[in-house]
Amino acid sequence: SWARRCVQETGINAEYMGTLNRNILSNNQMAAPYKLSETLQQALNKQANVEHMAGIQYLALSYWFDRQNYPGTASFFRAEAEEEFKHMRIVLDFINVRDNKVNLPVAAGLTEIKEVNSPDEAFQLYYDLELANYNEYNELSKQAIAEQDHNTHNFLAYFLTVQTEAVNEAEVWLAKAKAYTKIPGLFYHLDFEVKKEKNGNIDTWKEAFHGAK
């Protein structure tokens, strides 16, 4: 089911997703309230595209760090890319289960990729994207409240929690990247640290949603 895929791919609390899924299905006979409004449908499709483009950007950063011989940071951004692609799929699944048209994100070749020239530039871009993503979800949540679509508002609450933790994580890594790039050769220590952190506990920021395991 849609709820089961959400749990498997994101680690969202199973009880919460089950309740959300039941709430959606219980409204199945109410055609107008059940379907997303056109404005919310368009906004959510746009947000899925934002997630997709962020994933492509992080994949580009992963390859850049790999070329600079920083394998730990390359793995870090590859994992971040996979998280963005998962979020894209979850948003599209939600649109689809609400009986609305899904507009698949643009092809990767049409996505504008920003180039970086140093590790601190890469982590600044990472922070900027995570903060922008938080703001996008916050605006979506406001829109859902304005339209009294409480189901969509509850769905978006998960992503706001995720992005709050993601922005905090990005801010920490950005501060470290700025410090470690001031002395030539020192970034290799951060490369080891970020690899150990990401590989050791890749989903820690999701615990803010459903509690520690």
Side-chain angles (χ1 to χ4, degrees), residues 2-3 8 26 33 43 45 59 72 82 90 92 99 124 133 145 156 159 161 173 178 193 207:
W2 170 74
Q8 290 174 342
S26 67
N45 270 304
L59 196 57
E82 290 302 317
I90 294 301
L92 293 177
D99 203 25
Q124 181 67 60
N133 210 7
I145 293 173
L156 293 169
F159 286 101
T161 301
W173 287 121
K178 287 181 176 179
E193 180 182 348
E207 293 181 3

Side-chain angles (χ1 to χ4, degrees), residues 45-63:
N45 270 304
K46 178 182 177 182
Q47 184 60 29
N49 194 61
V50 169
E51 297 281 9
H52 175 260
M53 289 191 292
I56 295 296
Q57 180 67 67
Y58 291 155
L59 196 57
L61 291 179
S62 174
Y63 287 126

Side-chain angles (χ1 to χ4, degrees), residues 111-201:
T111 303
E112 182 180 355
I113 302 298
K114 294 184 179 179
E115 300 291 335
V116 296
N117 298 304
S118 65
D120 56 327
E121 281 187 23
F123 278 93
Q124 181 67 60
L125 179 56
Y126 170 48
Y127 172 79
D128 291 343
L129 287 174
E130 293 299 332
L131 182 59
N133 210 7
Y134 171 86
N135 290 330
E136 291 287 349
Y137 277 113
N138 197 45
E139 290 302 313
L140 272 171
S141 183
K142 290 179 182 178
Q143 185 176 343
I145 293 173
E147 296 189 18
Q148 297 186 19
D149 189 333
H150 304 295
N151 186 277
T152 299
H153 176 250
N154 289 339
F155 175 74
L156 293 169
Y158 160 72
F159 286 101
L160 280 172
T161 301
V162 164
Q163 285 306 124
T164 298
E165 188 64 22
V167 171
N168 180 68
E169 180 186 40
E171 187 176 21
V172 170
W173 287 121
L174 173 59
K176 290 184 177 183
K178 287 181 176 179
Y180 277 68
T181 52
K182 288 182 178 180
I183 302 176
L186 194 59
F187 190 80
Y188 282 102
H189 294 280
L190 184 61
D191 182 65
F192 177 78
E193 180 182 348
V194 74
K195 179 180 180 180
K196 181 179 179 181
E197 177 77 16
K198 203 63 179 174
N199 288 348
N201 210 345

